[in-house]
Amino acid sequence: MARQRGFSLLELVVCIALITGLASIAYSRLSQLAEDAEQAAFQGVVGWLQAGVNLEFSRALAQGKLADMQQLERHNPMLLADKVVQRPSNYLGELSEAEAAQAPAGHWFFVLGRGELVYRSRYSGGFGRYQPDKRGDIRFRLKLLRTAADSPSKRVIRGVALERLAIKTDG
């Protein structure tokens, strides 16, 4: 009968090194997958928001009520998206500035005092033209698009846009 032996120390070290290497590769791929999923969900919500804004403008145009569009500036775009699709499950609602400061990453919320819709990202990069600020916020506001005219009273509303606000440098 041959005598059975256990693993040698060298075999054990090689096995642990292989498992560690495979685990680190799997972790990096998994974290990239999570980042890609967040970006895709974000882009989807932005598309829904713009569709809701366009639908509201089309309705006002068809009914001859473009003057009603004045009230949309600083309005919560998420309320317009309700007409297109259900609100995302990670929408926290309308928050005060103090509540917004405490909002967790990976959520949408509307800041009442500023009239801004904010997405606080979990990951810092890869949002294309929507780069988060230091806190991770990507901020939007509804903006009326008007025709050029020699006086403000003669300007006509020609559309509504979901405007991406500049990145805050103060964090």
Side-chain angles (χ1 to χ4, degrees), residues 11 19 29 32 38 60 89 95 135 138-139 144 147 160:
E11 291 170 329
I19 291 171
R29 297 256 169 106
Q32 183 62 45
E38 179 186 32
S89 60
L95 306 178
R135 181 184 282 166
I138 303 171
R139 302 176 304 123
L144 295 178
T147 58
V160 182

Side-chain angles (χ1 to χ4, degrees), residues 75-113:
H75 185 76
N76 186 350
M78 205 57 87
L79 301 178
L80 299 177
D82 279 349
K83 297 175 182 179
V84 179
V85 72
Q86 185 177 355
R87 289 182 195 165
S89 60
N90 62 342
Y91 176 64
L92 298 175
E94 297 179 338
L95 306 178
S96 68
E97 293 207 33
E99 293 169 324
Q102 302 300 319
H107 288 83
W108 289 91
F109 51 91
F110 185 77
V111 184
L112 289 168

Side-chain angles (χ1 to χ4, degrees), residues 7-161:
F7 289 105
S8 71
L9 185 58
L10 179 61
E11 291 170 329
L12 187 59
V13 168
V14 168
C15 186
I16 289 173
L18 281 172
I19 291 171
T20 303
L22 291 173
S24 67
I25 291 170
Y27 177 77
S28 67
R29 297 256 169 106
L30 183 63
S31 64
Q32 183 62 45
L33 185 63
E35 192 171 328
D36 291 347
E38 179 186 32
Q39 294 161 18
F42 168 80
Q43 293 291 349
V45 171
V46 169
W48 295 335
L49 290 169
Q50 191 60 57
V53 168
N54 293 343
L55 183 66
E56 186 66 18
F57 179 74
S58 299
R59 183 199 57 75
L61 185 63
Q63 294 175 353
K65 296 181 179 180
L66 282 181
D68 293 350
M69 299 303 290
Q70 297 280 4
Q71 66 185 350
L72 284 184
E73 283 194 313
R74 302 182 71 87
H75 185 76
N76 186 350
M78 205 57 87
L79 301 178
L80 299 177
D82 279 349
K83 297 175 182 179
V84 179
V85 72
Q86 185 177 355
R87 289 182 195 165
S89 60
N90 62 342
Y91 176 64
L92 298 175
E94 297 179 338
L95 306 178
S96 68
E97 293 207 33
E99 293 169 324
Q102 302 300 319
H107 288 83
W108 289 91
F109 51 91
F110 185 77
V111 184
L112 289 168
R114 296 191 310 242
E116 296 175 356
L117 182 66
V118 178
Y119 178 72
R120 183 156 296 152
S121 64
R122 286 187 176 107
Y123 305 100
S124 60
F127 283 87
R129 63 186 178 143
Y130 302 108
Q131 288 303 313
D133 63 14
K134 290 178 184 175
R135 181 184 282 166
D137 292 353
I138 303 171
R139 302 176 304 123
F140 298 91
R141 181 179 289 157
L142 286 178
K143 179 181 180 182
L144 295 178
L145 305 174
R146 304 176 200 275
T147 58
D150 25 338
S151 75
S153 62
K154 293 182 182 178
R155 297 178 79 191
V156 177
I157 298 170
R158 63 176 174 83
V160 182

